[in-house]
DNA sequence: ATGGCTTCAGAATGAAGA
């Protein structure tokens, strides 16, 4: 089974590229972020024609996530509240649910897939930064409940907008005050992973210098000045089943690319 | 360089991304 994550920066703008990529890379599951379209306007038909079932959580202009799956998913949920609803909901949950950033479902009995688009956070100390940290806190609560009550195995993938290690950044100088690399962001993501999730890319590639995002500006891709911020995190028994995890930078070389590259994990 | 580029929305020397 192959599972890919890709922040496409608008599915309508990237439609042809995503379709072409799927033709060459017929993954079983494709998790998309930044679809930037309401569900009614999502270009479903060509994906359905390729045999995919679509599960969407989109909004106008910003954010938006989708899962494309060759087999139907069950128990598909969007947002945090379907999982948290039996608990006392935090007072700011409505604010955190406004932005469409999380969708999950069951692939096979006991195997959950979660697709996230973690907030960017703008700049360290900003209001959006606080929102990002709070969002990661709620993500932890959400995953804890799924892992305790529902999942035997879980894979969470997506655009995390955090580089956990300095070697995931082309130039980590000044990273302490840089969005996506500050210590509070790293700690917030580590707290999520402490539930028992591991970065499967590192199982195969211990060294740094591998990136999944390159800024559009200043020729960053051509100079390979990138960041590794798109990840697959797996529970231990699922991680044991992983055979490869690769970043496909080919789509980043095309005209009018997304600024992110797809990341693919293969499980036996 | 509070820059560089790209997207959407809608008419802003815009907001947001990362």
């Amino acid at each position: 089974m192959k599972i890919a994550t890709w922040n496409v920066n608008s599915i309508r703008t990237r439609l042809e590229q995503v379709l072409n990529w799927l033709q060459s890379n017929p993954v079983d599951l494709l998790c998309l972020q930044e679809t930037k379209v309401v569900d009614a306007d999502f270009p479903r038909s060509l994906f359905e024609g390729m045999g995919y079932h679509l599960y969407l959580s989109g909004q106008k202009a910003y954010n938006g996530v989708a899962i494309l799956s060759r087999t139907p998913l069950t128990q598909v949920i969007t947002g945090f509240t379907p999982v948290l609803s039996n608990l006392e909901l935090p007072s700011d949950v409505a604010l955190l649910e406004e932005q469409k950033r999380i969708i999950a479902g069951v692939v096979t009995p006991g195997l959950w897939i979660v697709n996230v688009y973690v907030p960017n956070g703008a700049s360290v100390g900003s209001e959006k930064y606080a929102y990002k940290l709070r969002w990661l806190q709620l993500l932890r609560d959400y995953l804890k409940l799924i892992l305790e009550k529902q999942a035997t195995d879980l894979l969470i993938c997506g655009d995390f907008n955090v580089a956990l290690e300095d070697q995931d950044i082309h130039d980590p100088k000044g990273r302490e005050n840089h969005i996506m690399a500050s210590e509070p962001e790293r700690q917030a993501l580590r707290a999520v992973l402490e539930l028992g999730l591991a970065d499967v890319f590192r199982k195969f590639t211990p060294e740094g210098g591998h990136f999944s995002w390159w800024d559009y500006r200043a020729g960053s891709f051509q100079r390979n000045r990138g960041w590794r911020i798109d990840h697959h995190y797996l529970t231990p028994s699922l991680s044991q089943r992983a055979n490869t995890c690769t970043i496909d930078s080919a789509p980043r070389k095309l005209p009018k690319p997304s600024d992110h590259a797809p990341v693919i994990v293969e499980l036996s």
Side-chain angles (χ1 to χ4, degrees), chain A residues 98-216:
Chain A
E98 274 174 10
Q99 304 181 7
K100 304 305 181 191
R101 295 180 175 277
I102 182 163
I103 184 168
V106 173
V107 183
T108 55
L111 171 56
W112 278 78
I113 183 161
V114 184
N115 174 20
V116 294
Y117 174 46
V118 175
N120 167 270
S123 57
V124 174
S126 67
E127 199 172 308
K128 287 181 178 145
Y129 181 75
Y131 187 97
K132 179 181 196 173
L133 297 178
R134 182 74 190 100
W135 198 94
L136 284 167
Q137 232 173 24
L138 201 59
L139 177 64
R140 184 184 191 279
D141 297 341
Y142 165 99
L143 289 175
K144 187 164 189 281
L145 284 167
I146 293 180
L147 286 165
E148 281 171 359
K149 298 188 173 176
Q150 316 234 21
T152 47
D153 271 309
L154 185 144
L155 178 152
I156 177 169
C157 65
D159 175 0
F160 286 79
N161 271 319
V162 176
L164 274 181
E165 300 178 277
D166 287 353
Q167 65 171 350
D168 296 324
I169 310 170
H170 67 88
D171 178 8
K173 188 159 35 70
R175 69 100 185 148
E176 182 55 45
N177 290 310
H178 198 296
I179 199 64
M180 305 189 292
S182 70
E183 205 51 40
E185 291 170 81
R186 288 182 171 180
Q187 277 174 13
L189 180 53
R190 278 192 216 108
V192 172
L193 305 183
E194 279 165 11
L195 296 170
L197 295 160
D199 176 3
V200 74
F201 185 80
R202 281 281 172 256
K203 176 177 171 181
F204 306 103
T205 310
E207 80 279 7
H210 297 273
F211 310 125
S212 65
W213 172 82
W214 299 261
D215 200 305
Y216 282 124

Side-chain angles (χ1 to χ4, degrees), chain A residues 2-240:
Chain A
K2 284 187 179 177
I3 303 168
T5 178
W6 193 3
N7 178 325
V8 290
N9 186 14
S10 169
I11 187 59
R12 289 179 292 183
T13 297
R14 227 64 63 197
L15 179 58
E16 197 180 340
Q17 287 187 25
V18 178
L19 289 165
N20 287 342
W21 188 83
L22 277 176
Q23 292 288 357
S24 322
N25 302 271
V27 293
D28 299 281
L29 290 140
L30 175 59
C31 293
L32 302 174
Q33 302 90 35
E34 282 207 273
T35 53
K36 296 188 172 180
V37 65
V38 294
D39 296 349
D41 294 337
F42 193 100
R44 304 182 68 105
S45 58
L46 290 164
F47 294 111
E48 288 170 341
M50 293 176 75
Y52 286 99
H53 301 263
L54 274 61
Y55 305 94
L56 310 174
S57 183
Q59 66 182 87
K60 190 168 83 170
Y62 301 114
N63 312 313
V65 285
I67 303 178
L68 281 56
S69 176
R70 289 212 173 269
T71 59
L73 301 182
T74 57
Q75 291 176 257
V76 174
I77 52 176
T78 63
F80 292 116
T81 44
V83 172
L84 301 170
S85 58
N86 292 333
L87 287 182
E88 242 188 291
L89 288 169
S91 59
D92 58 352
V93 72
L95 190 66
L96 292 158
E97 293 284 47
E98 274 174 10
Q99 304 181 7
K100 304 305 181 191
R101 295 180 175 277
I102 182 163
I103 184 168
V106 173
V107 183
T108 55
L111 171 56
W112 278 78
I113 183 161
V114 184
N115 174 20
V116 294
Y117 174 46
V118 175
N120 167 270
S123 57
V124 174
S126 67
E127 199 172 308
K128 287 181 178 145
Y129 181 75
Y131 187 97
K132 179 181 196 173
L133 297 178
R134 182 74 190 100
W135 198 94
L136 284 167
Q137 232 173 24
L138 201 59
L139 177 64
R140 184 184 191 279
D141 297 341
Y142 165 99
L143 289 175
K144 187 164 189 281
L145 284 167
I146 293 180
L147 286 165
E148 281 171 359
K149 298 188 173 176
Q150 316 234 21
T152 47
D153 271 309
L154 185 144
L155 178 152
I156 177 169
C157 65
D159 175 0
F160 286 79
N161 271 319
V162 176
L164 274 181
E165 300 178 277
D166 287 353
Q167 65 171 350
D168 296 324
I169 310 170
H170 67 88
D171 178 8
K173 188 159 35 70
R175 69 100 185 148
E176 182 55 45
N177 290 310
H178 198 296
I179 199 64
M180 305 189 292
S182 70
E183 205 51 40
E185 291 170 81
R186 288 182 171 180
Q187 277 174 13
L189 180 53
R190 278 192 216 108
V192 172
L193 305 183
E194 279 165 11
L195 296 170
L197 295 160
D199 176 3
V200 74
F201 185 80
R202 281 281 172 256
K203 176 177 171 181
F204 306 103
T205 310
E207 80 279 7
H210 297 273
F211 310 125
S212 65
W213 172 82
W214 299 261
D215 200 305
Y216 282 124
R217 300 167 293 186
S220 297
F221 181 68
Q222 289 70 21
R223 298 156 71 195
N224 198 26
R225 297 172 63 84
W227 292 59
R228 195 173 70 90
I229 55 176
D230 301 270
H231 307 292
H232 291 271
Y233 293 113
L234 279 59
T235 48
S237 56
L238 206 53
S239 190
Q240 283 189 348

